[in-house]
Amino acid sequence: MTWNDAGTATTVDYKTLKANPANLTQYLTQLSSVQKTTFDDWTKNQQLAYLINTYNAYTLKLIIDHYPEDSIRDIGPFWKTPWEIKFIPLFSEKRSLDYVEHQRIREPGAYNEPRIHFAVNCASIGCPALRTEPFTADKLEQQLEDSTQRFLRDNTRNRYRDGELQVSPIFKWYREDFQKGWNGVNSLNEFFLRYAEALELSDAQRQELKNDNMTYKFLDYDWSLNDNLKGAMN
């Protein structure tokens, strides 16, 4: 992975990874060897770090298994999205990326962690950055916070402009996750207020959020592959 100059996005050398998959294959073997009983005995941070790493690593595998493609959405049969393909050996069953994200990471009552949306990566330019190191239990808070800050600082995807807050459609698709009381945050307004500095919001704009007078615009999502050979750097 390579960070852009602003430190807000990464791209992947899929061509090299496809030609030299040994390290990824070894890592995937380690992930898939975890038993459900072991997972259940872990702390919440250990579990969540593992699930995020599983999602991201198997997304890489999905891409290199079908590379070159212009977008992850080009993968799979026409009647099934790539996120529905069951190819991940998880707890002795074949699971899909959708399962890992929506039934595990976003499982109601399990983690209540909206910042995971800046940690899981769908191999697209519109996604938050794929970090250059795996998530770990002892650094999870720091890593999630850093990933969130980096994504919100990226004014190609989140900015105040033309009298409105223009943000990634991630906040539209998963709005409910930002309204469940994480750290006392019960609305998008409160979430954006928490990260007002990263969004470079003025005092007046922060007041708009406080007064519930902020207008939102959800930007288009760029599904192009985050491939460093295709000029994908932001």
Side-chain angles (χ1 to χ4, degrees), residues 184-222:
V185 171
N186 294 289
S187 68
L188 274 186
N189 282 3
E190 292 176 0
F191 185 84
F192 292 138
L193 272 172
R194 184 181 180 91
Y195 293 100
E197 185 173 348
L199 290 164
E200 299 182 339
L201 299 181
S202 68
D203 289 343
Q205 291 156 4
R206 298 180 195 203
Q207 195 61 48
E208 283 186 65
L209 283 169
K210 291 179 182 179
N211 295 339
D212 198 23
N213 290 328
M214 181 66 73
T215 299
Y216 294 120
K217 176 182 179 181
F218 298 104
L219 300 170
D220 292 334
Y221 200 79
D222 190 343

Side-chain angles (χ1 to χ4, degrees), residues 18-140:
K18 184 178 180 72
N20 302 278
N23 288 341
L24 177 61
T25 299
Q26 181 181 19
Y27 184 57
L28 294 175
T29 300
Q30 293 174 354
L31 290 171
S32 63
S33 69
V34 174
Q35 300 298 309
K36 181 67 163 55
T37 52
T38 301
F39 177 87
D40 289 341
D41 286 339
W42 283 348
T43 65
K44 293 290 187 180
N45 277 6
Q46 286 176 310
Q47 291 178 355
L48 189 53
Y50 168 79
L51 291 169
I52 293 170
N53 291 336
T54 296
Y55 186 98
N56 288 342
Y58 275 98
T59 295
L60 290 175
K61 176 171 174 53
L62 183 67
I63 297 300
I64 64 171
D65 282 352
H66 296 84
Y67 189 80
E69 292 283 5
D70 292 328
S71 170
I72 188 173
R73 296 200 296 180
D74 296 334
I75 295 172
F78 72 88
W79 65 87
K80 182 179 293 187
T81 73
W83 298 281
E84 295 173 315
I85 300 171
K86 295 181 179 180
F87 72 105
I88 303 170
L90 180 68
F91 308 144
S92 302
E93 292 189 52
K94 286 293 181 68
R95 298 294 191 179
S96 67
L97 289 168
D98 266 353
Y99 174 85
V100 176
E101 180 178 10
H102 302 306
Q103 296 187 48
R104 283 291 176 177
I105 295 175
R106 298 179 63 227
E107 179 184 358
Y111 307 107
N112 189 27
E113 178 53 83
R115 293 175 300 176
I116 61 95
H117 295 297
F118 315 112
V120 296
N121 182 276
C122 64
S124 303
I125 293 175
C127 290
L130 179 63
R131 297 184 69 84
T132 55
E133 84 285 346
F135 286 84
T136 60
D138 60 330
K139 296 181 180 179
L140 185 62

Side-chain angles (χ1 to χ4, degrees), residues 163-183:
E164 60 189 5
L165 192 55
Q166 301 175 354
V167 294
S168 166
I170 286 173
F171 294 106
K172 177 182 179 181
W173 299 334
Y174 301 111
R175 187 169 189 153
E176 63 181 288
D177 290 358
F178 297 93
Q179 301 178 154
K180 291 183 177 179
W182 168 79
N183 278 357

